[in-house]
Amino acid sequence: MKGKCWKFGNNINTDEIIPARYLNTTDVRELAAHCMEDADPDFVKKAKPGDAIIAGDNFGCGSSREHAPIAIKAAGISCVIAKSFARIFFRNAINIGLPIFECPEAADQIREGDEIEINLSAGEIVDHTSKKRFKFEPFPQEMQEIIQAGGLMNFVKKKMSA
Amino acid sequence: MRMTITEKIIAAHSGLKEVHPGQFVYADVDICLGNDITAPIAIEEFEKTGIKKVFDPEKIVLVPDHFTPNKDIKSAQQSKSLRTFSEKHHLRHYFEIGRMGIEHALLPEKGIVAPGDLVIGADSHTCTYGALGAFSTGVGSTDLAACFAAGKVWLKVPESIRFIFHGKVKNWTSGKDLILYTIGKIGVDGALYKAMEFSGSAISDLPMDDRFAMCNMAIEAGAKSGIISPDKNTEDYIKGRVTKKCVMYQSDPGCNYTKTYEFNAGEISPQIALPSLPENTKPVEEVSGIKIDQVVIGSCTNGRISDLRIAAKILAGKKAHPSIRLIIIPATQEIYKQALQEGLIEIFIDAEAVVSTPTCGPCLGGHMGILAEGERALSTTNRNFVGRMGHPKSEIYLCSPAVAAASAITGKITPPDEVVKS
Ligand code: SF4
């Protein structure tokens, strides 16, 4: 995972990530076209596939809409790094396979426009622009199993046939 | 081990004697819930697996309430997907318009959720049912799809925070004001991942409708759940509604809370949450006089019968201010009918309010009262995020039904006792 960073503040809520006026569809392309619209109306125009979102505390608070992580994933965003995530957003991201990382230092120190790379096996975020490196905690074992199965549905299918 | 009510319910549903915060469990689900926004994705995900049968057609509840009666073709397609799925799998609890209500008012009213249950819903305000002494929490659509298949959910046992409200609430202060006050104190991430347990003499005195309003907004503090120990009030409420066996769990004395907050309920005034976060709360006296364009009374927080009664008490014989659009939405068909029988609807119409069929409508900026640029709403709903009720440059102030009704009369934010002497 390698890309350019776009920074957002604290408490970015799901109404900003994907406003309810677009929730009368489940079409991922349409959801992607309005990704982050009420936080930054030009976001979709500026962001390129592979880019990352960097945010403060409580990213994804508000509604349970899975449309939020779906819109981010479908817009080509490779991962979200935040100081903390709202809990339903966190679940949803794990369940659909959008990579997210809780790393307060990285969220603070990475600047808008920095090029970063994520080294999953080393548990490390590398900021190529500032040359800084940040460690993140790997997910607990139980969550890793869901991620490794390729999301919750595959995980459940496996469990049910076991 | 001494456990909280939350830990006891989770342990009982995971086949374990005890659980501790941070532990992962796969818990059995008593009821799972989806609506016309979240269920279509869950249905697609479920069908992709090729699994033919849902785990239990009695335990899945589908309520098309957000964009209904359907506001456009796309939302009609989404509701249709719920209808088709319900028919195919013979779901017992599918609620078509005309028989429905806003999900979190509807499920308790129909006796679908009972004390001691473990409930998940693909809607963040699923935490509402904590008011019955159930563990209930919001999840996403994929969680719901997995539950359709297996009847289980993965959970991390939350830590519990205790909130004790001492004393008695003041006149015009409601459950909505207690929860707004609490969120103002701890912030929108003050209870992130945690269970909020409400107790104290003011909570024991609190009517069920107010308890629902409190637990409903636990999510606005980032919480996984809100919960109140079941008591006599709870028993009276479920009588004639709940037919299944239920367990009235209580927290053990000396159980573990990560934090305890103590408030004096008698000092809490009606609250206003200013734009654009529910934590921006102020006592109504401090912000009175702010001009508003629209007042909304309704939603899964405050569209219940006692909310409408308070609004009617204030609006009786009065008219909404000429510059105000007043929208009142009973949360369910039963509440609507009750309000009719009690003459509340007549009071509202005489006050020149719009009275709508049950729907989420303006609460999430769906339909039935969208704001234009620069407009300001005062609303009994639960979120005042940027753009939540319409144009990104509109504003939402949150309050109780009493403050909403009083302010509708004056056209500006107004403490209820300035309009009525009670
Ligand atoms: S009334 Fe509002 S908060 Fe409640 S379920 Fe509907 S949209 Fe969500």
Side-chain angles (χ1 to χ4, degrees):
Chain A
M1 269 178 246
K2 199 172 175 178
K4 203 167 135 183
C5 292
W6 302 95
K7 277 200 102 160
F8 293 88
N10 292 332
N11 301 311
I12 294 294
N13 66 72
T14 51
D15 283 282
E16 293 170 286
I17 299 171
I18 182 78
R21 54 185 178 276
Y22 305 120
L23 297 185
N24 55 1
T25 180
T26 57
D27 181 342
V28 297
R29 278 160 312 182
E30 213 176 314
L31 295 173
H34 300 290
C35 178
M36 305 304 287
E37 188 169 297
D38 282 3
D40 176 359
D42 296 324
F43 179 74
V44 178
K45 271 184 252 154
K46 297 189 299 198
K48 299 219 165 42
D51 286 0
I53 288 176
I54 314 292
D57 277 317
N58 205 20
F59 184 84
C61 62
S63 98
S64 68
R65 63 189 70 150
E66 209 157 288
H67 312 66
I70 291 175
I72 293 174
K73 194 177 171 195
I77 297 303
S78 64
C79 72
V80 184
I81 298 168
K83 284 192 195 169
S84 65
F85 291 93
R87 69 159 275 280
I88 307 179
F89 183 92
F90 185 94
R91 290 187 77 88
N92 288 344
I94 299 283
N95 287 346
I96 70 160
L98 169 70
I100 55 174
F101 304 99
E102 224 166 54
C103 185
E105 299 76 41
D108 259 340
Q109 294 177 33
I110 294 173
R111 294 158 306 184
E112 172 125 337
D114 282 6
E115 284 278 341
I116 60 160
E117 189 170 354
I118 301 203
N119 188 336
L120 273 182
S121 50
E124 200 177 52
I125 302 165
V126 185
D127 187 328
H128 289 300
T129 314
S130 70
K131 310 280 182 252
K132 285 184 186 156
R133 285 165 187 272
F134 310 96
K135 283 267 177 212
F136 58 83
E137 283 284 316
F139 290 120
Q141 180 62 31
E142 291 85 349
M143 272 185 218
Q144 300 230 21
E145 282 175 31
I146 297 173
I147 298 166
Q148 273 156 19
L152 183 65
M153 290 320 283
N154 289 335
F155 175 79
V156 167
K157 260 198 337 205
K158 245 176 48 193
K159 270 210 143 186
M160 285 180 75
S161 57
Chain B
M1 190 182 130
R2 297 161 196 271
M3 290 194 284
T4 64
I5 175 171
T6 302
E7 290 153 10
K8 285 185 183 179
I9 298 173
I10 295 176
H13 286 79
S14 313
L16 299 167
K17 260 229 181 77
E18 53 181 53
V19 295
H20 50 82
Q23 184 177 346
F24 270 84
V25 295
Y26 290 96
D28 288 323
V29 171
D30 293 306
I31 289 293
C32 66
L33 163 76
N35 59 47
D36 53 323
I37 290 180
T38 58
I41 296 182
I43 292 169
E44 280 172 30
E45 285 297 317
F46 175 80
E47 305 218 303
K48 268 196 248 161
T49 63
I51 296 169
K52 291 274 167 319
K53 268 189 153 160
V54 298
F55 83 109
D56 188 341
E58 302 279 316
K59 293 186 176 175
I60 299 172
V61 185
L62 295 183
V63 189
D65 56 357
H66 280 63
F67 295 143
T68 53
N70 290 132
K71 66 169 184 128
D72 56 20
I73 295 171
K74 285 183 182 167
S75 56
Q77 292 296 130
Q78 301 207 150
S79 289
K80 188 178 170 193
S81 102
L82 272 61
R83 197 175 297 124
T84 313
F85 185 79
S86 302
E87 279 168 15
K88 181 168 158 198
H89 295 281
H90 309 287
L91 301 190
R92 167 145 171 242
H93 300 299
Y94 167 70
F95 294 95
E96 192 53 85
I97 61 162
R99 295 127 202 144
M100 53 73 88
I102 299 173
E103 50 198 298
H104 309 306
L106 188 73
L107 269 64
E109 175 187 291
K110 298 280 182 203
I112 295 171
V113 176
D117 276 358
L118 191 146
V119 182
I120 62 159
D123 190 276
S124 60
H125 292 99
T126 303
C127 51
T128 310
Y129 318 126
L132 290 166
F135 173 79
S136 63
T137 191
V139 296
S141 296
T142 301
D143 282 305
L144 182 62
C147 192
F148 285 170
K152 284 182 182 286
V153 65
W154 64 271
L155 290 172
K156 201 162 116 187
V157 180
E159 296 174 333
S160 292
I161 308 181
R162 178 168 53 164
F163 296 84
I164 308 174
F165 294 86
H166 297 290
K168 274 191 176 321
V169 291
K170 290 203 281 199
N171 209 358
W172 299 121
T173 295
S174 66
K176 177 67 163 288
D177 301 302
L178 299 185
I179 189 65
L180 284 176
Y181 178 85
T182 306
I183 298 164
K185 286 281 172 219
I186 69 171
V188 290
D189 59 355
L192 201 59
Y193 304 123
K194 302 199 170 56
M196 297 171 86
E197 190 174 321
F198 305 110
S199 62
S201 56
I203 304 296
S204 305
D205 291 344
L206 211 58
M208 284 309 290
D209 284 2
D210 289 67
R211 295 184 185 184
F212 285 122
M214 284 191 79
C215 291
N216 175 272
M217 289 191 70
I219 178 71
E220 263 61 67
K224 178 172 234 156
S225 57
I227 199 158
I228 295 173
S229 284
D231 59 11
K232 178 76 178 40
N233 274 355
T234 326
E235 277 175 38
D236 292 345
Y237 180 86
I238 63 170
K239 208 177 285 162
R241 301 180 196 272
V242 174
T243 49
K244 62 184 170 190
K245 242 183 66 199
C246 50
V247 192
M248 307 260 190
Y249 292 99
Q250 308 284 332
S251 292
D252 290 328
C255 64
N256 198 13
Y257 297 103
T258 49
K259 226 175 188 173
T260 298
Y261 291 89
E262 298 191 53
F263 300 128
N264 184 349
E267 285 170 8
I268 301 174
S269 293
Q271 302 283 307
I272 303 282
L274 279 63
S276 296
L277 281 177
E279 69 182 20
N280 298 333
T281 56
K282 288 240 157 66
V284 61
E285 313 84 72
E286 285 181 26
V287 289
S288 69
I290 295 176
K291 262 186 64 53
I292 42 182
D293 304 292
Q294 175 165 300
V295 171
V296 177
I297 300 176
S299 85
C300 60
T301 317
N302 283 127
R304 297 186 177 80
I305 190 68
S306 52
D307 300 317
L308 301 185
R309 284 185 189 134
I310 290 170
K313 187 170 158 194
I314 294 172
L315 289 165
K318 304 220 168 59
K319 290 210 183 305
H321 189 272
S323 68
I324 289 285
R325 310 186 296 268
L326 172 58
I327 300 169
I328 302 180
I329 310 177
T332 68
Q333 289 288 95
E334 191 180 305
I335 295 167
Y336 199 165
K337 190 168 155 196
Q338 180 78 23
L340 253 178
Q341 286 167 348
E342 292 181 17
L344 314 184
I345 303 291
E346 198 172 328
I347 292 172
F348 296 151
I349 292 175
D350 286 344
E352 300 180 340
V354 170
V355 183
S356 157
T357 191
T359 180
C360 293
C363 173
L364 81 160
H367 61 151
M368 290 297 299
I370 305 304
L371 299 174
E373 182 172 355
E375 288 188 326
R376 207 176 266 156
L378 180 67
S379 176
T380 71
T381 53
N382 45 43
R383 289 193 175 131
N384 55 352
F385 298 155
V386 171
R388 172 85 178 172
M389 205 174 268
H391 196 282
K393 292 208 174 97
S394 59
E395 288 185 340
I396 308 168
Y397 291 69
L398 304 176
C399 69
S400 70
V403 174
S407 308
I409 296 168
T410 60
K412 46 191 201 254
I413 294 179
T414 305
D417 50 10
E418 283 185 16
V419 177
V420 231
K421 300 283 162 246
S422 61

